Amino acid sequence: MEQRFNGSEGKYIASSIFMLLFERMHSLHGFENTLRDLALEDERVEMLADRIVEIDLGYHQRISPDASPNKSTVSPSR
């Protein structure tokens, strides 16, 4: 991983995901729908959350595959 950051001595390196889990869920499913389905423990909203987490983990693994004990990457498309 150190090779990726050669030449960045004394500088900050940052990466981020624009929206986190809840923000992405309600942007895709609607705010009221997300709150209702979370309260009702709807299986579909759980599947949506799991898929969002899989995609986010895939992003992180592609940025820094050495940081993950599991070297496999999750593809954002199925």
Side-chain angles (χ1 to χ4, degrees), residues 17 51-63 68 72-74:
I17 295 176
R51 186 66 184 122
I52 292 169
V53 169
E54 285 178 17
I55 291 169
D56 288 349
L57 288 173
Y59 292 148
H60 288 291
Q61 289 172 353
R62 280 190 292 283
I63 291 168
S68 172
S72 66
T73 20
V74 176

Side-chain angles (χ1 to χ4, degrees), residues 9-10 16 35 41 48-49 53 62-63 70 72 74:
E9 291 79 18
S16 66
L35 291 179
E41 298 181 13
L48 174 62
V53 169
R62 280 190 292 283
I63 291 168
N70 178 1
S72 66
V74 176

Side-chain angles (χ1 to χ4, degrees), residues 26-72:
H26 75 71
S27 73
L28 293 170
H29 188 55
F31 187 76
E32 290 182 31
N33 291 337
T34 300
L35 291 179
R36 181 192 63 237
D37 291 346
L38 285 170
L40 297 174
E41 298 181 13
D42 189 320
E43 186 176 309
R44 293 173 301 165
V45 80
E46 291 177 24
M47 291 170 44
L48 174 62
D50 288 343
R51 186 66 184 122
I52 292 169
V53 169
E54 285 178 17
I55 291 169
D56 288 349
L57 288 173
Y59 292 148
H60 288 291
Q61 289 172 353
R62 280 190 292 283
I63 291 168
S64 181
D66 297 335
S68 172
N70 178 1
K71 300 266 179 155
S72 66

